[in-house]
Short mmCIF file of all heavy atoms in Angstrom, two decimals:
data_model
loop_
_atom_site.label_atom_id
_atom_site.label_comp_id
_atom_site.label_asym_id
_atom_site.label_seq_id
_atom_site.Cartn_x
_atom_site.Cartn_y
_atom_site.Cartn_z
N TYR A 132 -31.48 -3.84 18.86
CA TYR A 132 -32.51 -3.63 19.89
C TYR A 132 -33.92 -3.81 19.34
O TYR A 132 -34.77 -4.45 19.97
CB TYR A 132 -32.36 -2.23 20.47
CG TYR A 132 -33.27 -1.97 21.66
CD1 TYR A 132 -32.92 -2.41 22.93
CD2 TYR A 132 -34.49 -1.31 21.49
CE1 TYR A 132 -33.76 -2.18 24.02
CE2 TYR A 132 -35.33 -1.09 22.56
CZ TYR A 132 -34.97 -1.53 23.83
OH TYR A 132 -35.80 -1.29 24.90
N PHE A 149 -25.95 -9.67 22.25
CA PHE A 149 -25.97 -8.25 22.57
C PHE A 149 -26.83 -7.93 23.81
O PHE A 149 -27.19 -6.79 24.03
CB PHE A 149 -26.51 -7.46 21.37
CG PHE A 149 -25.52 -7.33 20.25
CD1 PHE A 149 -25.49 -8.27 19.23
CD2 PHE A 149 -24.61 -6.28 20.21
CE1 PHE A 149 -24.58 -8.16 18.19
CE2 PHE A 149 -23.70 -6.17 19.18
CZ PHE A 149 -23.68 -7.11 18.16
N LYS A 150 -27.12 -8.95 24.60
CA LYS A 150 -27.98 -8.73 25.77
C LYS A 150 -27.44 -7.68 26.73
O LYS A 150 -28.19 -6.82 27.21
CB LYS A 150 -28.18 -10.06 26.51
CG LYS A 150 -29.53 -10.16 27.20
CD LYS A 150 -29.80 -11.60 27.62
CE LYS A 150 -31.25 -11.71 28.08
NZ LYS A 150 -31.59 -13.09 28.47
N PRO A 151 -26.11 -7.67 27.03
CA PRO A 151 -25.58 -6.61 27.91
C PRO A 151 -25.84 -5.21 27.34
O PRO A 151 -26.12 -4.27 28.09
CB PRO A 151 -24.08 -6.91 27.96
CG PRO A 151 -23.98 -8.37 27.66
CD PRO A 151 -25.08 -8.64 26.67
N LEU A 152 -25.74 -5.06 26.01
CA LEU A 152 -26.01 -3.77 25.38
C LEU A 152 -27.48 -3.39 25.54
O LEU A 152 -27.80 -2.21 25.75
CB LEU A 152 -25.64 -3.80 23.89
CG LEU A 152 -24.16 -3.77 23.54
CD1 LEU A 152 -23.99 -3.76 22.03
CD2 LEU A 152 -23.49 -2.54 24.13
N ASN A 153 -28.37 -4.36 25.44
CA ASN A 153 -29.80 -4.10 25.59
C ASN A 153 -30.11 -3.55 26.98
O ASN A 153 -30.88 -2.59 27.13
CB ASN A 153 -30.62 -5.37 25.33
CG ASN A 153 -30.63 -5.75 23.87
OD1 ASN A 153 -30.31 -4.94 23.01
ND2 ASN A 153 -30.99 -7.00 23.58
N TYR A 154 -29.50 -4.14 28.01
CA TYR A 154 -29.70 -3.66 29.37
C TYR A 154 -29.20 -2.23 29.51
O TYR A 154 -29.84 -1.37 30.13
CB TYR A 154 -28.97 -4.55 30.38
CG TYR A 154 -29.58 -5.93 30.54
CD1 TYR A 154 -28.78 -7.07 30.63
CD2 TYR A 154 -30.96 -6.09 30.62
CE1 TYR A 154 -29.34 -8.33 30.78
CE2 TYR A 154 -31.53 -7.35 30.76
CZ TYR A 154 -30.71 -8.46 30.84
OH TYR A 154 -31.27 -9.70 31.00
N LEU A 155 -28.04 -1.95 28.92
CA LEU A 155 -27.45 -0.61 28.99
C LEU A 155 -28.32 0.40 28.25
O LEU A 155 -28.53 1.53 28.73
CB LEU A 155 -26.04 -0.63 28.40
CG LEU A 155 -25.17 0.62 28.61
CD1 LEU A 155 -25.04 0.96 30.08
CD2 LEU A 155 -23.79 0.40 27.99
N MET A 156 -28.84 0.00 27.10
CA MET A 156 -29.71 0.89 26.32
C MET A 156 -30.99 1.21 27.09
O MET A 156 -31.51 2.32 27.03
CB MET A 156 -30.03 0.27 24.97
CG MET A 156 -28.92 0.42 23.94
SD MET A 156 -29.38 -0.14 22.28
CE MET A 156 -29.08 -1.90 22.40
N GLU A 157 -31.50 0.23 27.80
CA GLU A 157 -32.71 0.46 28.58
C GLU A 157 -32.45 1.42 29.73
O GLU A 157 -33.32 2.20 30.12
CB GLU A 157 -33.25 -0.87 29.11
CG GLU A 157 -33.86 -1.73 28.00
CD GLU A 157 -34.21 -3.13 28.47
OE1 GLU A 157 -33.92 -3.44 29.66
OE2 GLU A 157 -34.74 -3.91 27.67
N ASP A 158 -31.23 1.41 30.28
CA ASP A 158 -30.88 2.30 31.39
C ASP A 158 -30.70 3.74 30.93
O ASP A 158 -31.22 4.67 31.55
CB ASP A 158 -29.58 1.83 32.07
CG ASP A 158 -29.81 0.57 32.89
OD1 ASP A 158 -30.97 0.30 33.25
OD2 ASP A 158 -28.82 -0.15 33.15
N VAL A 159 -29.95 3.94 29.83
CA VAL A 159 -29.63 5.32 29.39
C VAL A 159 -30.57 5.80 28.29
O VAL A 159 -30.55 6.98 27.92
CB VAL A 159 -28.18 5.42 28.89
CG1 VAL A 159 -27.21 5.03 29.99
CG2 VAL A 159 -27.95 4.57 27.65
N GLY A 160 -31.36 4.89 27.74
CA GLY A 160 -32.24 5.24 26.64
C GLY A 160 -31.61 4.85 25.31
O GLY A 160 -30.42 5.03 25.11
#
Side-chain angles (χ1 to χ4, degrees):
Y132 187 82
F149 285 91
K150 211 166 190 178
L152 286 182
N153 289 342
Y154 289 138
L155 190 55
M156 281 187 276
E157 288 171 357
D158 287 339
V159 301

